[in-house]
Amino acid sequence: MLNQPIEAQLSSASDMVDHSAQWAKSIPSRIGRFFTAAHYALTLAGTAALFVLGMMFFNPEFADKLMALSPFSDDQPEEVVPEAPSLANLMDVPAPALTVAAPVAAAAAAAAAVPMTEEERKIIGTPRQQKLVTTWLSKRYRVAGDATDMLVSAAYLTAREIKLDPLLILAVMAIESRFNPFAESPMGAQGLMQVMSKVHHDKFQELGGVKAALNPVANIKVGSLILKEYVTRGGSVEAGLKSYVGAADMDNDGGYGLKVLSEYQNLKEVAVGKNISIFTTALIKPPVQAVRPALPAVTPAKPTAVGDMASAAPKKPGVASSEEIAAL
């Protein structure tokens, strides 16, 4: 009776050892079953992938449907973004100026519908020349290509309308504002061509008033009209530029005309296809004024004989000379 508990404990211990041994032997088999199941799963996945690829190859519509269901698809609905305003409508003013400050593209299309005269063709040039000028100005003054294209187009349209060289207009814009439509001087000159809106307010009346001075299209038109008026009145581009800068009554314009004419010459060379550096600072040579030669000073001849001395001597009033007595 006393040996029964001891035998029970020994039998339970042996059962535990046997159970541990069986569990240890089952680990490799369990691992093997896991890899076998994984192998079957991968085989099924590969087979399914091959089947889907085959369906996509033979049925493109099925492929489009799968791509549409993908979260990485580009066909996802996009947020509605308000359209940016056109550059030509920048700083538009209320009616009646809306018809004048219309998009440049529409104005260009309307101008293209009208046949160009021979005079206008000589002034405007070719589309290729305009493109060359636009590209050069965009790089030289670091202005976006679209903005430069709009400003150059506006200058060409205005030049065709008022019969003025567009390259001269662009040269004035370059020197005055470097193509900044919002530039303003301490004296109150505004916009691309630095127009004194308070002085030339009458020219802005049809364009919406002086508030239109910062409208690029309106500013180019008014500035070009003023420049054309000064050139016509002065009889030359040089005289017109001197009046434009406000130095008509001065001896010189402080080099303003020389700068504009130099840029004007650069643009003319660019338009014909010459390779002009965008960093050039060369100025054209000012015209040399003809200097009249000084006349030599006339000195009286020195008397060399007694007769000469007698003739050179001043005569006393009332006393006749020997020659006058002989003549009597």
Side-chain angles (χ1 to χ4, degrees):
M1 296 294 293
L2 295 174
N3 295 329
Q4 290 180 354
I6 297 173
E7 293 177 354
Q9 292 178 359
L10 291 174
S11 61
S12 61
S14 62
D15 291 340
M16 293 177 62
V17 172
D18 294 340
H19 181 70
S20 299
Q22 291 178 1
W23 186 81
K25 292 179 180 180
S26 66
I27 290 178
S29 62
R30 291 181 179 181
I31 295 176
R33 287 196 298 270
F34 171 77
F35 281 107
T36 302
H39 176 72
Y40 289 153
L42 290 176
T43 303
L44 290 175
T47 305
L50 291 175
F51 175 77
V52 172
L53 289 175
M55 290 291 295
M56 293 174 64
F57 179 78
F58 293 104
N59 190 357
E61 296 180 358
F62 178 72
D64 296 336
K65 292 180 181 179
L66 288 179
M67 292 177 64
L69 294 175
S70 172
F72 304 102
S73 174
D74 295 334
D75 297 334
Q76 299 295 324
E78 299 179 355
E79 297 181 359
V80 178
V81 180
E83 184 179 358
S86 173
L87 288 174
N89 295 329
L90 186 65
M91 294 299 295
D92 273 356
V93 293
L98 289 177
T99 56
V100 179
V104 176
V114 180
M116 191 179 300
T117 63
E118 187 64 26
E119 180 184 2
E120 292 175 344
R121 187 173 288 103
K122 290 181 179 179
I123 294 175
I124 300 300
T126 64
R128 178 180 178 275
Q129 292 176 337
Q130 181 176 341
K131 181 64 176 177
L132 290 173
V133 170
T134 301
T135 303
W136 190 79
L137 288 174
S138 175
K139 294 179 180 179
R140 179 169 173 81
Y141 295 98
R142 298 181 179 180
V143 182
D146 292 341
T148 308
D149 183 64
M150 189 275 291
L151 298 178
V152 172
S153 299
Y156 270 75
L157 290 173
T158 302
R160 179 181 176 182
E161 179 182 351
I162 68 175
K163 305 297 186 296
L164 186 65
D165 193 340
L167 301 181
L168 179 60
I169 298 175
L170 293 172
V172 171
M173 292 166 57
I175 302 304
E176 289 285 358
S177 65
R178 298 183 66 86
F179 294 94
N180 178 10
F182 305 113
E184 184 170 356
S185 72
M187 300 299 294
Q190 295 177 309
L192 291 165
M193 299 191 71
Q194 291 293 277
V195 179
M196 297 290 292
S197 57
K198 295 181 180 179
V199 176
H200 302 282
H201 59 87
D202 56 323
K203 293 182 173 61
F204 284 102
Q205 292 302 318
E206 297 181 357
L207 306 177
V210 294
K211 293 182 179 180
L214 294 179
N215 181 310
V217 179
N219 191 279
I220 291 174
K221 184 172 183 179
V222 173
S224 300
L225 288 172
I226 297 171
L227 180 60
K228 175 67 178 296
E229 180 181 340
Y230 286 156
V231 170
T232 303
R233 185 190 305 173
S236 65
V237 175
E238 292 80 1
L241 292 174
K242 190 176 180 182
S243 298
Y244 192 88
V245 78
D249 299 331
M250 302 180 183
D251 294 336
N252 60 76
D253 58 6
Y256 171 80
L258 188 63
K259 294 179 182 178
V260 173
L261 292 177
S262 298
E263 193 70 357
Y264 180 39
Q265 182 64 29
N266 290 335
L267 291 174
K268 289 195 291 186
E269 294 183 356
V270 168
V272 297
K274 291 186 178 180
N275 186 17
I276 304 299
S277 172
I278 61 174
F279 304 106
T280 181
T281 57
L283 299 177
I284 62 174
K285 295 181 180 179
V288 180
Q289 297 181 354
V291 180
R292 298 178 61 182
L295 297 176
V298 179
T299 56
K302 295 181 179 180
T304 56
V306 178
D308 294 335
M309 295 178 65
S311 61
K315 293 187 299 180
K316 296 180 180 181
V319 180
S321 63
S322 60
E323 295 178 353
E324 293 175 344
I325 296 175
L328 295 174

